Amino acid sequence: MSTVIEQPVEARLVAAAPRMPNIPATLRYDRSDPFAVRMTFPAPATLEGVEVCWTFARELLTAGLEGPEGHGDVRVRPYGYDRTVLEFHAPEGTAVVHVRSGEIRRFLAATGELVPAGLEHLQLDLDNGLAELMRDAC
């Protein structure tokens, strides 16, 4: 069984400028980092012209489907029945995108089949990680 789930999604960038077209993005989940989700925007869709990847908690994405969540760099909230708003805050500014909630739910369902919510800790090799930390400390 694969240990990585990738799902393309369409994100609509919300901006003060004239309405922009939908931009492609990819949601990614890797069993080796079981608490995290990554959302990547390709270079042509960014102001800097380089690929941009945001990493945030899977739990944040899940909770943000039901109500406003997040107080840091990434914030998630529902927008009507079929859209979810993701806000990405950086020193350069804030990007706000809308994604279809159904696409996010489908992605989260797939991640839940790979690693059920609440059992993420079972994917971590804490003994090995601790041993590496101790070895580096000496």
Side-chain angles (χ1 to χ4, degrees), residues 55-129:
T55 302
F56 50 96
R58 175 172 70 162
E59 183 179 44
L60 173 69
L61 189 59
T62 301
L65 287 169
E66 304 303 320
E69 290 292 331
H71 301 287
D73 294 344
V74 179
R75 301 171 192 177
V76 183
R77 70 179 184 279
Y79 183 77
Y81 173 73
D82 65 343
R83 297 265 177 202
T84 299
V85 175
L86 292 99
E87 294 181 18
F88 302 99
H89 297 261
E92 301 81 16
T94 300
V96 179
V97 297
H98 290 188
V99 177
R100 288 186 186 97
S101 299
E103 291 181 329
I104 295 173
R105 284 188 181 93
R106 186 170 51 253
F107 172 75
L108 289 171
T111 70
E113 288 179 20
L114 186 61
V115 178
L119 299 179
E120 294 92 348
H121 65 283
L122 298 176
Q123 302 301 313
L124 302 175
D125 185 357
L126 296 178
D127 291 334
N128 187 37

Side-chain angles (χ1 to χ4, degrees), residues 8 12 32-33 38 65 106 135-136:
R12 181 178 302 145
S32 68
D33 191 2
R38 287 172 180 70
L65 287 169
R106 186 170 51 253
R135 183 177 56 243
D136 291 343

